[in-house]
Amino acid sequence: MENKKLTQAQMDTKWTELGDFFRRKSIWMLMYCTGCCAIELPQAMTSAYDMERLGMGPMATPRQADVLLITGYLSLKTLRRLVYTYEQMSEPKYVVAFGPCVINGGIYHDSHAVLNRLDHYLPIDVYISGCMPNPESVMNGFTDLMDLIKNKTAVGWKNYRDNNEWYKKNQMDALGEVFVHDEFHE
Amino acid sequence: MMNSMNNQALVSELENRFSLLNVDLVSESQVAIDISNNDVHTVLAYLKSLGWKQLSMLTNVDWIEEGKYQLVYIIFNWDNPIYIQVRTKIERENPVFRTVTSVYPGAKYYERDVHEFFGVKFEGNPDSEKQLFLENWDDLPPLRKDFDAKAYSDRKYAKREYTKDFSNKGGKK
Ligand code: SF4
């Protein structure tokens, strides 16, 4: 115990731990209601399950949000907007994906418009199963996310940074280009 | 007078004026008529003057075995709740039709939609070939019956690999 001074790396870890403690008790969600699973959010948020008791609440803009909820099937066109949204969020950021549609395409696995595996394009921290997942599973998914943050295993955002080339390549393969062109943006 | 017309009276009114190829009284509030290509504009304009002011939908049906496309104009009257489907068949190969934007300006977007999903060209609507929903589409129009959505999906989107076989073999082991 002769040298009590902590190294910079140790200090950083301590701060991150402290940050994570508060972070997991105040998770602000950005709800990207892409598919029908979104219908389960109102029950989870309102008095029946009262998500706010876990410290979770809705947030209006990506820059202020901690977690991105992808609630259901993701079409090619939506992925473009989703990549914009995800990249605007400030780190650390987490992604929770709902339903089998984002795992393997679900009932839309043979559609021309719907992506099959979301984890090829964006890093997912928690999957919630069920088509659609009932509010208990939704709440359970959120407590899982809190545990992951506690155990320092919610590292999707780091993976996205470290393997950015791989993610970008997959996005390009599916989309051609990520940039949004439409008459309402031009 | 027009606003109290029931669907039978409406059909006989139309039969007097135009040559209808086929009439379907689907229900009290729905009538479907089939007409030839050349009549579409006059029939739509006439019905509009009777109060069917709203083009609720323009869509297309792919009759692949017949080699035809069927354009379906669904129009609605707010004073007399009868939906009328005005249907006409066009060629499936190099499908072209004249725009109805002169009668229903809102058709502008529906025609873009039909162009995108079926490849029908609408003469006289300069916007009809602009993309609407699909972005950077690179294959056959996707709602044509000969478009294989599964093959497209398999080619284009990464699939999840399973080490275990979860497929249902009709209950057999
Ligand atoms: S998983 Fe089921 S409920 Fe959820 S978006 Fe897909 S089809 Fe809809």
Side-chain angles (χ1 to χ4, degrees):
Chain A
M1 292 298 262
E2 61 273 15
N3 189 1
K4 273 199 165 163
K5 212 167 170 318
L6 295 175
T7 64
Q8 186 61 40
Q10 283 168 320
M11 285 295 280
D12 287 350
T13 325
K14 290 255 178 248
W15 278 117
T16 319
E17 262 168 33
L18 193 62
D20 278 349
F21 175 79
F22 290 110
R23 227 167 259 137
R24 71 172 184 268
K25 296 198 179 284
S26 74
I27 297 181
W28 285 359
M29 310 172 289
L30 184 69
M31 291 162 285
Y32 206 103
C33 297
T34 53
C36 19
C37 285
I39 202 71
E40 297 302 332
L41 279 173
Q43 295 87 307
M45 278 164 72
T46 48
S47 44
Y49 292 88
D50 191 16
M51 194 186 276
E52 194 126 358
R53 73 198 149 90
L54 306 180
M56 300 189 68
M59 186 30 73
T61 76
R63 290 182 210 281
Q64 292 161 292
D66 304 299
V67 57
L68 176 64
L69 308 186
I70 302 166
T71 54
Y73 55 79
L74 196 78
S75 76
L76 197 59
K77 192 169 171 177
T78 316
L79 177 62
R80 249 183 216 115
R81 278 79 184 164
L82 197 66
V83 170
Y84 268 42
T85 311
Y86 182 72
E87 292 188 353
Q88 277 181 31
M89 291 171 64
S90 49
E91 292 172 347
K93 50 191 170 186
Y94 314 105
V95 181
V96 174
F98 288 49
C101 281
V102 287
I103 298 175
N104 60 8
I107 58 172
Y108 300 102
H109 67 97
D110 57 356
S111 157
H112 67 272
V114 178
L115 298 166
N116 291 176
R117 303 186 52 164
L118 184 55
D119 61 352
H120 259 230
Y121 313 96
L122 287 176
I124 314 286
D125 295 300
V126 175
Y127 286 109
I128 300 176
S129 70
C131 173
M132 42 217 24
N134 56 9
E136 289 92 338
S137 333
V138 174
M139 295 303 281
N140 195 35
F142 292 146
T143 46
D144 282 354
L145 176 66
M146 290 168 192
D147 289 343
L148 291 183
I149 297 175
K150 188 175 176 186
N151 303 333
K152 306 191 194 67
T153 40
V155 289
W157 55 281
K158 282 189 194 146
N159 291 343
Y160 191 71
R161 213 166 51 186
D162 298 342
N163 305 322
N164 200 262
E165 269 174 30
W166 185 77
Y167 282 109
K168 283 285 157 207
K169 184 182 163 297
N170 291 340
Q171 289 169 6
M172 284 311 206
D173 284 351
L175 294 171
E177 62 172 350
V178 176
F179 195 74
V180 176
H181 285 290
D182 66 37
E183 61 200 274
F184 308 108
H185 284 83
E186 278 159 14
Chain B
M1 165 226 150
M2 292 307 172
N3 287 342
S4 57
M5 212 188 230
N6 67 19
N7 56 6
Q8 312 236 331
L10 173 76
V11 166
S12 34
E13 177 80 23
L14 286 171
E15 272 172 338
N16 287 341
R17 284 172 180 267
F18 305 98
S19 57
L20 308 183
L21 304 179
N22 176 37
V23 176
D24 236 343
L25 294 175
V26 185
S27 73
E28 250 171 52
S29 57
Q30 256 193 72
V31 172
I33 56 171
D34 289 284
I35 52 179
S36 68
N37 292 177
N38 289 337
D39 283 347
V40 170
H41 293 76
T42 38
V43 169
L44 287 178
Y46 176 67
L47 286 170
K48 193 180 178 189
S49 74
L50 293 189
W52 275 266
K53 289 196 199 113
Q54 179 183 312
L55 177 67
S56 294
M57 167 107 159
L58 160 59
T59 186
N60 188 36
V61 184
D62 184 359
W63 297 101
I64 186 164
E65 279 161 20
E66 238 179 283
K68 296 276 188 198
Y69 273 164
Q70 185 179 40
L71 290 169
V72 185
Y73 297 84
I74 302 177
I75 52 177
F76 187 65
N77 182 347
W78 282 90
D79 299 318
N80 184 7
I82 301 178
Y83 275 104
I84 307 179
Q85 299 177 26
V86 177
R87 307 187 290 208
T88 191
K89 285 197 174 162
I90 59 174
E91 286 305 316
R92 194 171 181 280
E93 286 308 308
N94 301 319
V96 191
F97 201 62
R98 273 161 291 125
T99 175
V100 297
T101 44
S102 53
V103 188
Y104 292 105
K108 183 174 154 189
Y109 287 97
Y110 291 125
E111 287 177 354
R112 272 171 80 172
D113 180 5
V114 171
H115 175 264
E116 196 159 76
F117 286 102
F118 294 94
V120 181
K121 286 198 167 67
F122 288 91
E123 285 172 349
N125 178 356
D127 281 349
S128 76
E129 286 176 40
K130 274 209 234 160
Q131 70 173 14
L132 186 63
F133 299 121
L134 302 171
E135 291 173 346
N136 304 330
W137 186 250
D138 52 4
D139 208 307
L140 276 182
L143 292 192
R144 283 173 60 132
K145 288 251 162 74
D146 51 357
F147 172 76
D148 185 348
K150 182 151 197 330
Y152 184 82
S153 168
D154 288 348
R155 188 175 81 237
K156 196 122 184 213
Y157 308 136
K159 302 282 168 183
R160 188 173 290 278
E161 304 285 333
Y162 290 97
T163 45
K164 214 172 156 183
D165 184 9
F166 292 104
S167 58
N168 178 3
K169 300 185 191 83
K172 282 184 226 102
K173 288 253 169 82

mmCIF file of all heavy atoms in Angstrom, chain A residues 35-37 71-73 98-101 107-108 130-133, ligand 1:
data_model
loop_
_atom_site.group_PDB
_atom_site.id
_atom_site.type_symbol
_atom_site.label_atom_id
_atom_site.label_comp_id
_atom_site.label_asym_id
_atom_site.label_seq_id
_atom_site.Cartn_x
_atom_site.Cartn_y
_atom_site.Cartn_z
ATOM 1 N N GLY A 35 -41.878 -0.636 -36.333
ATOM 2 C CA GLY A 35 -42.830 -1.698 -36.646
ATOM 3 C C GLY A 35 -43.912 -1.818 -35.598
ATOM 4 O O GLY A 35 -44.048 -0.986 -34.709
ATOM 5 N N CYS A 36 -44.680 -2.894 -35.711
ATOM 6 C CA CYS A 36 -45.856 -3.049 -34.842
ATOM 7 C C CYS A 36 -45.490 -3.290 -33.393
ATOM 8 O O CYS A 36 -46.309 -3.067 -32.506
ATOM 9 C CB CYS A 36 -46.779 -4.134 -35.357
ATOM 10 S SG CYS A 36 -46.065 -5.300 -36.502
ATOM 11 N N CYS A 37 -44.273 -3.763 -33.090
ATOM 12 C CA CYS A 37 -43.882 -3.957 -31.699
ATOM 13 C C CYS A 37 -44.042 -2.682 -30.873
ATOM 14 O O CYS A 37 -44.164 -2.747 -29.657
ATOM 15 C CB CYS A 37 -42.425 -4.381 -31.611
ATOM 16 S SG CYS A 37 -42.117 -6.067 -32.075
ATOM 17 N N THR A 71 -38.274 -0.739 -32.595
ATOM 18 C CA THR A 71 -39.414 -1.565 -32.230
ATOM 19 C C THR A 71 -40.001 -2.249 -33.451
ATOM 20 O O THR A 71 -41.039 -1.854 -33.951
ATOM 21 C CB THR A 71 -40.485 -0.712 -31.548
ATOM 22 O OG1 THR A 71 -40.780 0.364 -32.414
ATOM 23 C CG2 THR A 71 -39.994 -0.178 -30.256
ATOM 24 N N GLY A 72 -39.308 -3.264 -33.917
ATOM 25 C CA GLY A 72 -39.897 -4.094 -34.960
ATOM 26 C C GLY A 72 -39.171 -4.023 -36.280
ATOM 27 O O GLY A 72 -38.057 -3.520 -36.367
ATOM 28 N N TYR A 73 -39.847 -4.562 -37.311
ATOM 29 C CA TYR A 73 -39.210 -4.759 -38.610
ATOM 30 C C TYR A 73 -38.574 -3.478 -39.127
ATOM 31 O O TYR A 73 -39.048 -2.394 -38.901
ATOM 32 C CB TYR A 73 -40.204 -5.289 -39.644
ATOM 33 C CG TYR A 73 -41.436 -4.439 -39.816
ATOM 34 C CD1 TYR A 73 -41.393 -3.292 -40.579
ATOM 35 C CD2 TYR A 73 -42.626 -4.792 -39.197
ATOM 36 C CE1 TYR A 73 -42.523 -2.511 -40.739
ATOM 37 C CE2 TYR A 73 -43.756 -4.017 -39.344
ATOM 38 C CZ TYR A 73 -43.696 -2.878 -40.117
ATOM 39 O OH TYR A 73 -44.806 -2.110 -40.256
ATOM 40 N N PHE A 98 -36.544 -4.895 -30.658
ATOM 41 C CA PHE A 98 -37.741 -5.653 -30.298
ATOM 42 C C PHE A 98 -38.109 -6.652 -31.382
ATOM 43 O O PHE A 98 -38.131 -6.311 -32.561
ATOM 44 C CB PHE A 98 -38.949 -4.717 -30.174
ATOM 45 C CG PHE A 98 -38.955 -3.828 -28.970
ATOM 46 C CD1 PHE A 98 -37.847 -3.083 -28.638
ATOM 47 C CD2 PHE A 98 -40.093 -3.721 -28.193
ATOM 48 C CE1 PHE A 98 -37.870 -2.236 -27.545
ATOM 49 C CE2 PHE A 98 -40.123 -2.882 -27.102
ATOM 50 C CZ PHE A 98 -39.017 -2.143 -26.773
ATOM 51 N N GLY A 99 -38.463 -7.834 -30.957
ATOM 52 C CA GLY A 99 -39.138 -8.764 -31.868
ATOM 53 C C GLY A 99 -38.219 -9.544 -32.782
ATOM 54 O O GLY A 99 -37.093 -9.147 -33.042
ATOM 55 N N PRO A 100 -38.701 -10.667 -33.303
ATOM 56 C CA PRO A 100 -37.901 -11.487 -34.216
ATOM 57 C C PRO A 100 -37.606 -10.796 -35.541
ATOM 58 O O PRO A 100 -36.677 -11.184 -36.241
ATOM 59 C CB PRO A 100 -38.766 -12.725 -34.427
ATOM 60 C CG PRO A 100 -40.124 -12.358 -34.027
ATOM 61 C CD PRO A 100 -40.002 -11.290 -32.995
ATOM 62 N N CYS A 101 -38.395 -9.798 -35.896
ATOM 63 C CA CYS A 101 -38.152 -9.132 -37.178
ATOM 64 C C CYS A 101 -36.745 -8.575 -37.277
ATOM 65 O O CYS A 101 -36.160 -8.560 -38.348
ATOM 66 C CB CYS A 101 -39.140 -7.997 -37.376
ATOM 67 S SG CYS A 101 -40.720 -8.575 -37.912
ATOM 68 N N ILE A 107 -41.560 -12.557 -39.747
ATOM 69 C CA ILE A 107 -42.501 -12.924 -40.788
ATOM 70 C C ILE A 107 -42.217 -12.182 -42.101
ATOM 71 O O ILE A 107 -42.826 -12.467 -43.108
ATOM 72 C CB ILE A 107 -43.963 -12.692 -40.357
ATOM 73 C CG1 ILE A 107 -44.182 -11.239 -39.974
ATOM 74 C CG2 ILE A 107 -44.353 -13.604 -39.231
ATOM 75 C CD1 ILE A 107 -45.650 -10.922 -39.727
ATOM 76 N N TYR A 108 -41.294 -11.253 -42.060
ATOM 77 C CA TYR A 108 -40.945 -10.529 -43.294
ATOM 78 C C TYR A 108 -39.629 -11.018 -43.886
ATOM 79 O O TYR A 108 -39.005 -10.305 -44.651
ATOM 80 C CB TYR A 108 -40.856 -9.031 -43.009
ATOM 81 C CG TYR A 108 -42.157 -8.462 -42.505
ATOM 82 C CD1 TYR A 108 -42.354 -8.194 -41.165
ATOM 83 C CD2 TYR A 108 -43.194 -8.221 -43.383
ATOM 84 C CE1 TYR A 108 -43.559 -7.706 -40.703
ATOM 85 C CE2 TYR A 108 -44.392 -7.718 -42.934
ATOM 86 C CZ TYR A 108 -44.569 -7.466 -41.595
ATOM 87 O OH TYR A 108 -45.760 -6.979 -41.146
ATOM 88 N N GLY A 130 -40.436 -12.058 -28.825
ATOM 89 C CA GLY A 130 -41.899 -12.044 -28.797
ATOM 90 C C GLY A 130 -42.426 -11.237 -29.948
ATOM 91 O O GLY A 130 -41.910 -10.175 -30.250
ATOM 92 N N CYS A 131 -43.431 -11.754 -30.602
ATOM 93 C CA CYS A 131 -43.991 -11.062 -31.764
ATOM 94 C C CYS A 131 -45.461 -10.809 -31.492
ATOM 95 O O CYS A 131 -46.273 -11.615 -31.789
ATOM 96 C CB CYS A 131 -43.814 -11.910 -33.015
ATOM 97 S SG CYS A 131 -44.646 -11.263 -34.465
ATOM 98 N N MET A 132 -45.819 -9.724 -30.858
ATOM 99 C CA MET A 132 -44.943 -8.728 -30.259
ATOM 100 C C MET A 132 -44.629 -9.083 -28.816
ATOM 101 O O MET A 132 -45.374 -9.835 -28.204
ATOM 102 C CB MET A 132 -45.632 -7.360 -30.328
ATOM 103 C CG MET A 132 -47.073 -7.493 -29.983
ATOM 104 S SD MET A 132 -48.347 -6.508 -30.829
ATOM 105 C CE MET A 132 -47.837 -5.989 -32.355
ATOM 106 N N PRO A 133 -43.549 -8.555 -28.242
ATOM 107 C CA PRO A 133 -43.207 -8.887 -26.860
ATOM 108 C C PRO A 133 -44.233 -8.285 -25.909
ATOM 109 O O PRO A 133 -44.639 -7.145 -26.112
ATOM 110 C CB PRO A 133 -41.840 -8.242 -26.664
ATOM 111 C CG PRO A 133 -41.707 -7.237 -27.730
ATOM 112 C CD PRO A 133 -42.583 -7.626 -28.848
HETATM 113 S S1 SF4 C 1 -41.777 -8.847 -34.449
HETATM 114 FE FE1 SF4 C 1 -43.950 -9.122 -34.859
HETATM 115 S S2 SF4 C 1 -44.923 -7.438 -33.742
HETATM 116 FE FE2 SF4 C 1 -42.774 -6.935 -33.961
HETATM 117 S S3 SF4 C 1 -42.586 -5.724 -35.808
HETATM 118 FE FE3 SF4 C 1 -42.220 -7.850 -36.377
HETATM 119 S S4 SF4 C 1 -44.217 -8.591 -37.007
HETATM 120 FE FE4 SF4 C 1 -44.577 -6.727 -35.839
#
